[in-house]
Amino acid sequence: AQKVTQAQTEISVVEKEDVTLDCVYETRDTTYYLFWYKQPPSGELVFLIRRNSFDEQNEISGRYSWNFQKSTSSFNFTITASQVVDSAVYFCALDDYRDDKIIFGKGTRLHILP
Amino acid sequence: DTEVTQTPKHLVMGMTNKKSLKCEQHMGHRAMYWYKQKAKKPPELMFVYSYEKLSINESVPSRFSPECPNSSLLNLHLHALQPEDSALYLCASSQDHDSNQPQHFGDGTRLSIL
């Protein structure tokens, strides 16, 4: 069965610290896609990244970086030099060919303290 | 500002009222989605429209009635809702339903049932 686990329910760090959000997934498919979304207090989900199962290269976009490791079924997200505006709920999600819908993790609520 | 526009942003209605939520996108996407999100939970898929046809209904009660008048518009008609239906209702769109492209979300409608 497909499943996404975000074990960290809530994290608080002081501004400028680095923080890593964990995501572990389960799927029987060999072809699948992983996503990260950000949901600020205003409500909309903002798409951050999509990664397919055949591309294990790590990705960096500004202060954001993602570490995809198929061997441990993990797709972790690191924010470097965090800022107050990074405070939000972050969802990891899985989309494979077996199911017709995206499976979301329960989300990690990130608080960046000034 | 998101590219998926939802109206209204807030809605308070009684259990006997009839109202509609509206969603619009002009990205040429052919798949559109309704999600329900309760506080501190991930979004739950309700309906998927693919090429203006209802593709998925996640066993949603009939008091929620979706409608897709054209490829840019998606409505959710509400009638005789219950207090437990109070939630954030998110609309999303993607290029199509089968290509595992990211979904783009609107700001949502915060619905309160009195």
Side-chain angles (χ1 to χ4, degrees):
Chain A
Q2 300 89 338
K3 189 178 175 182
V4 176
T5 301
Q6 295 180 256
Q8 304 149 309
T9 304
E10 205 156 341
I11 301 174
S12 294
V13 300
V14 177
E15 199 174 17
K16 297 184 184 166
E17 287 185 358
D18 299 347
V19 58
T20 295
L21 309 183
D22 298 333
C23 174
V24 175
Y25 62 92
E26 294 176 31
T27 177
R28 284 174 290 174
D29 278 346
T30 55
T31 302
Y32 52 88
Y33 293 81
L34 296 162
F35 303 83
W36 275 95
Y37 285 88
K38 172 184 179 180
Q39 188 173 36
S42 50
E44 82 279 15
L45 271 84
V46 178
F47 164 71
L48 296 178
I49 190 171
R50 179 183 83 144
R51 176 51 52 86
N52 77 54
S53 52
F54 298 108
D55 181 3
E56 286 193 72
Q57 270 195 322
N58 291 331
E59 180 150 343
I60 297 174
S61 175
R63 296 184 296 106
Y64 294 172
S65 62
W66 290 269
N67 183 296
F68 176 31
Q69 292 198 337
K70 282 179 80 169
S71 59
T72 55
S73 296
S74 66
F75 187 42
N76 296 339
F77 173 30
T78 297
I79 301 175
T80 304
S82 59
Q83 299 176 2
V84 172
V85 294
D86 296 326
S87 297
V89 179
Y90 290 85
F91 291 98
C92 181
L94 166 69
D95 191 1
D96 61 24
Y97 283 97
R98 193 175 299 270
D99 213 341
D100 279 335
K101 60 184 180 180
I102 289 178
I103 306 298
F104 285 94
K106 291 182 188 262
T108 296
R109 185 173 297 271
L110 178 63
H111 301 277
I112 309 298
L113 308 171
Chain B
D1 286 344
T2 64
E3 295 177 75
V4 176
T5 305
Q6 289 188 244
T7 56
K9 292 201 183 304
H10 300 274
L11 179 62
V12 180
M13 57 187 285
M15 288 191 283
T16 58
N17 292 156
K18 284 186 184 180
K19 296 284 184 184
S20 297
L21 309 185
K22 297 186 183 302
C23 176
E24 189 168 4
Q25 57 87 14
H26 293 288
M27 295 179 280
H29 288 172
R30 303 317 298 264
M32 295 185 77
Y33 310 78
W34 279 115
Y35 287 85
K36 173 183 177 180
Q37 187 179 23
K38 301 286 275 186
K40 300 194 177 185
K41 299 286 188 185
E44 297 174 16
L45 183 66
M46 299 174 73
F47 302 104
V48 179
Y49 272 82
S50 179
Y51 291 86
E52 299 163 51
K53 288 189 172 14
L54 183 63
S55 172
I56 294 177
N57 176 342
E58 287 285 305
S59 302
V60 179
S62 59
R63 58 186 183 267
F64 294 92
S65 175
E67 178 199 19
C68 189
N70 60 55
S71 60
S72 300
L73 292 174
L74 185 66
N75 298 323
L76 186 62
H77 303 298
L78 314 173
H79 174 53
L81 295 195
Q82 304 297 311
E84 62 265 27
D85 297 323
S86 297
L88 178 68
Y89 288 83
L90 291 162
C91 174
S93 71
S94 65
Q95 193 170 353
D96 57 57
H97 186 46
D98 298 324
S99 66
N100 307 100
Q101 291 293 321
Q103 294 179 21
H104 297 264
F105 287 79
D107 290 348
T109 294
R110 293 193 185 275
L111 177 65
S112 298
I113 306 301
L114 301 179

